[in-house]
Amino acid sequence: MLTYHKLKNNKLHIALVGNPNSGKSSLFNCLTGLNQQVGNFPGVTVDKKTGSTSLSASMNAEVIDLPGTYSLYPRREDEWVSYKVLLGQDKELKADVVVAVADASNLKRNLLFCTQIIDLKVPVVIALTMMDMAKRKGIKIDIAALERELGVPVIAVNPRKNKGIPQLKKAIEQTAQHLYHSPVRDFIDNKALAETSISAVKEQFPQLSDYTAIHYLINHESFDLNETMQKTIENIELKNKFNPTKTQAEEILQRYSRIRHIMQQTVSEPDPLKKSLFTEKLDNLLLHRVWGYVILIGVLFLLFQSVFWLAQFPMDWIELGFAKLSQGLSAALPDNRWTDLLINGVIAGIGGILIFVPQIMILFGLITLLEDTGYMARISFLSDRLMRSVGLNGKSVMPMISGFACAVPAIMSARNIENKKERLLTILITPLMSCSARLPVYTILIGLVIPKTYLLGFLGVQGLVMMGLYLLGLVMALIVSYVAKWFIKINEKSFFILELPTYRSPRWGNVLPTMISKARIFVMDAGKVIMIISLVLWAL
Ligand SMILES: Nc1nc2c(ncn2[C@@H]2O[C@H](COP(=O)(O)OP(=O)(O)OP(=O)(O)O)[C@@H](O)[C@H]2O)c(=O)[nH]1
Ligand SMILES: [Mg+2]
């Protein structure tokens, strides 16, 4: 796998894999200094993204952030992306060292995936995140013992606080230089799962591990193999009566049984009866059959009201500032055509762009907060029933809400939906959501047409109309989906599986950069158009 040639080039390829929401992208950002989107929601990353880091003075590496995967049995599109990289089937990305990111507060499930990777016999380092969360839950982990049992390096990191990164880099470097070896014995007896079939596959591919051979048997159709090889593997399956479902089930059972055994020796957990978790208590209220929905509507209402109300203050300042500036300039400059161009063309144009920046920043800031605290996943959960009635899925909510920002990444995030038909419908209706580029248009129209009055003294009518326009897009999306579902002939069983992440305090350090980057995109992209139109209007 790791060639000497690559090391001589001093460029190593590191793939970050692990369960969804385990902190891969956070770690990626730590290592590369980039700003890959992070969120407290399973399925934030849906595609591969690369960046570079230096492991030591003499070794640079390319880091690949990948979508979260629960196990080596991919079901969703985004899981296939990671699976192919791990199995060496991705045409562009090859991993020399795999960093398996594991959430320490959910160790059992995370270890399942880690041990599968270990059995692929690829060079692997385990990065244990969320140690702080585990500690708060009262979980104690003996890392040295865990390392001994698994046979690969285990490093505790906290990408949120930038902790453990040098140690991780060192372990990666040592693994790359063959200072660690994959364990000689498999984590479970993979060979025994399908002995004859595995041997036959390994006759064709002697370099494969037993466990990798099982994956060739199960998923070869998606692998990059020539036709004769495909036939050969199919024949092996037929001849040996290979049963993929039984093999998988047996494998998972055996893994969990050994993991349970290891955890008894390395992890001490508090008495499950005594724990009264904050998240559980909060969910009792926020996911309540009645109150949950009341709060949800309240939150969405507040979201749109605050976009209008909060933004009013900076908008007034900007307006005042530009008025003062034009006044000052027209007093100071000679009264001619160029002054007029400057004041009524350029400055009016810039003012017309900047005036929307507060609203855009506040909307995105609030969406980031919703996602970071973990409430966004609850919104998916609560809306699943409504979504289902029009042919969508609770998971469609996340693309739809991101659609308020921009439809392109929103459509990408639909990869997270397992069911083909629901995924297609979500992609079709997401552009109907009012994206941020439409916000200025709404604002201008509302400013022109709707009086600035208040209902009951505090409900801004302008804010209500704005919410109405957003709702209109939403309602249309639901109607279109309801109609379109009759035309799409895909029959696949649908289910809603979304892990509800624990509530976390939002990282304020993440909110501000998101707000700024969205504002910058708006000023740079939409701003150009507004500026040109402003100049054309001046000329007219
Ligand atoms: N408390 C704590 N939070 C963390 C730690 N590492 C990451 N997080 C938080 O965990 C959440 C998920 O992080 P991401 O980096 O988006 O996770 P991911 O693995 O890329 O998730 P997907 O892309 O959805 O698969 C974010 O809210 C992070 O701030 C950690 O060590 N401790
Ligand atoms: Mg991610």
Side-chain angles (χ1 to χ4, degrees):
M1 210 73 5
L2 184 73
T3 56
Y4 179 59
H5 167 75
K6 274 201 188 114
L7 281 187
K8 239 166 63 181
N9 271 342
N10 284 332
K11 194 89 177 174
L12 192 78
H13 297 79
I14 303 170
L16 297 178
V17 298
N19 283 184
N21 215 23
S22 58
K24 297 174 295 300
S25 300
S26 307
L27 187 59
F28 175 84
N29 290 345
C30 256
L31 288 169
T32 60
L34 293 175
N35 205 353
Q36 164 84 312
Q37 193 187 353
V38 167
N40 189 14
F41 187 93
V44 173
T45 312
V46 290
D47 204 357
K48 42 205 173 184
K49 162 140 186 178
T50 58
S52 56
T53 187
S54 83
L55 290 177
S56 66
S58 60
M59 195 184 278
N60 289 323
E62 187 174 74
V63 189
I64 311 158
D65 184 24
L66 289 165
T69 327
Y70 285 109
S71 74
L72 272 187
Y73 293 111
R75 266 212 313 251
R76 303 186 314 253
E77 294 294 312
D78 55 346
E79 288 187 318
W80 273 101
V81 174
S82 304
Y83 180 75
K84 285 200 169 169
V85 172
L86 278 172
L87 269 286
Q89 297 297 325
D90 188 294
K91 290 208 182 63
E92 293 133 40
L93 297 175
K94 300 273 175 263
D96 302 313
V97 176
V98 172
V99 174
V101 180
D103 173 351
S105 63
N106 271 315
L107 200 56
K108 192 164 148 200
R109 197 196 61 212
N110 278 261
L111 279 183
L112 174 76
F113 186 42
C114 289
T115 67
Q116 288 183 320
I117 299 171
I118 292 172
D119 281 351
L120 290 178
K121 302 283 170 182
V122 294
V124 57
V125 174
I126 295 179
L128 213 50
T129 55
M130 317 279 177
M131 288 295 276
D132 52 331
M133 304 289 283
K135 210 170 179 183
R136 223 172 302 154
K137 276 191 184 172
I139 302 172
K140 288 199 199 78
I141 302 173
D142 181 349
I143 293 185
L146 192 61
E147 196 163 62
R148 262 198 317 277
E149 291 289 340
L150 296 176
V152 300
V154 179
I155 316 286
V157 295
N158 186 341
R160 239 163 106 116
K161 299 238 161 76
N162 228 329
K163 276 194 205 147
I165 306 301
Q167 290 86 334
L168 179 67
K169 284 185 174 177
K170 193 158 165 235
I172 294 173
E173 197 186 359
Q174 291 184 334
T175 303
Q177 289 166 337
H178 297 291
L179 292 175
Y180 291 115
H181 296 278
S182 0
V184 183
R185 287 184 47 202
D186 280 4
F187 187 76
I188 57 166
D189 191 357
N190 290 300
K191 186 79 181 253
L193 292 172
E195 200 156 356
T196 46
S197 310
I198 292 174
S199 306
V201 171
K202 283 180 70 168
E203 263 168 42
Q204 307 292 328
F205 303 95
Q207 80 283 11
L208 296 186
S209 76
D210 290 341
Y211 186 55
T212 317
I214 295 183
H215 283 273
Y216 270 65
L217 284 161
I218 297 176
N219 286 324
H220 61 95
E221 275 153 25
S222 312
F223 287 6
D224 186 21
L225 300 171
N226 62 32
E227 218 163 291
T228 31
M229 198 44 87
Q230 295 283 12
K231 279 263 149 57
T232 318
I233 299 185
E234 251 156 58
N235 285 336
I236 294 175
E237 284 181 67
L238 280 179
K239 204 176 119 208
N240 300 294
K241 297 201 181 67
F242 177 73
N243 180 339
T245 326
K246 196 171 140 257
T247 313
Q248 276 181 31
E250 185 62 25
E251 179 211 331
I252 305 274
L253 279 179
Q254 288 190 22
R255 282 190 196 278
Y256 269 135
S257 121
R258 175 135 191 240
I259 289 169
R260 211 171 303 123
H261 181 71
I262 289 180
M263 284 189 60
Q264 273 165 10
Q265 292 171 346
T266 59
V267 180
S268 73
E269 279 176 285
D271 182 356
L273 287 178
K274 263 198 292 188
K275 70 177 174 194
S276 59
L277 285 173
F278 175 67
T279 293
E280 272 171 32
K281 279 191 183 156
L282 202 55
D283 271 344
N284 282 342
L285 177 67
L286 294 183
L287 298 181
H288 188 268
R289 263 183 311 134
V290 180
W291 293 115
Y293 293 95
V294 173
I295 294 172
L296 174 64
I297 291 171
V299 167
L300 291 181
F301 177 73
L302 270 181
L303 184 83
F304 287 105
Q305 281 289 318
S306 35
V307 169
F308 253 70
W309 175 75
L310 266 181
Q312 201 50 53
F313 301 97
M315 283 169 83
D316 285 346
W317 302 331
I318 293 173
E319 214 175 336
L320 195 73
F322 272 89
K324 281 257 150 60
L325 184 67
S326 319
Q327 261 174 27
L329 282 177
S330 62
L333 295 174
D335 189 12
N336 63 21
R337 191 183 271 226
W338 295 113
T339 308
D340 198 44
L341 170 65
L342 181 69
I343 293 172
N344 291 326
V346 178
I347 293 187
I350 297 178
I353 299 164
L354 292 187
I355 196 92
F356 299 116
V357 167
Q359 284 181 342
I360 289 177
M361 287 178 76
I362 292 170
L363 179 63
F364 281 105
L366 293 175
I367 289 182
T368 312
L369 282 182
L370 279 188
E371 201 186 296
D372 239 16
T373 49
Y375 190 63
M376 192 64 99
R378 272 74 188 180
I379 297 184
S380 284
F381 179 80
L382 287 172
S383 52
D384 185 54
R385 245 224 337 247
L386 170 70
M387 292 289 152
R388 211 163 270 287
S389 65
V390 298
L392 299 166
N393 184 296
K395 281 190 181 174
S396 312
V397 167
M398 180 70 177
M400 285 166 78
I401 292 187
S402 335
F404 288 130
C406 176
V408 177
I411 287 175
M412 289 275 286
S413 65
R415 278 192 183 176
N416 185 241
I417 300 168
E418 288 89 352
N419 182 284
K420 250 203 204 118
K421 181 167 174 177
E422 290 167 353
R423 193 162 62 232
L424 195 60
L425 282 172
T426 308
I427 290 170
L428 281 176
I429 56 119
T430 296
L432 285 169
M433 312 306 290
S434 294
C435 76
S436 60
R438 285 174 235 181
L439 189 60
V441 182
Y442 290 172
T443 319
I444 293 173
L445 290 179
I446 289 175
L448 283 176
V449 181
I450 308 295
K452 206 190 232 170
T453 46
Y454 290 88
L455 285 181
L456 307 171
F458 71 98
L459 291 176
V461 176
Q462 291 191 332
L464 280 178
V465 172
M466 175 69 117
M467 189 170 155
L469 285 174
Y470 274 85
L471 275 179
L472 186 68
L474 182 72
V475 171
M476 279 315 292
L478 298 181
I479 294 175
V480 168
S481 169
Y482 185 75
V483 174
K485 85 172 178 186
W486 303 105
F487 295 98
I488 299 176
K489 295 266 168 289
I490 301 174
N491 267 331
E492 211 178 282
K493 213 171 161 195
S494 156
F495 40 83
F496 175 69
I497 308 177
L498 178 72
E499 217 191 326
L500 293 178
T502 41
Y503 290 105
R504 265 193 269 267
S505 64
R507 288 147 312 141
W508 300 100
N510 181 38
V511 177
L512 202 62
T514 312
M515 291 166 75
I516 293 174
S517 86
K518 298 293 177 188
R520 201 176 45 217
I521 294 171
F522 170 72
V523 171
M524 295 303 172
D525 295 353
K528 265 185 257 165
V529 180
I530 299 180
M531 191 72 209
I532 292 169
I533 291 177
S534 169
L535 290 178
V536 170
L537 281 179
W538 174 83
L540 287 175

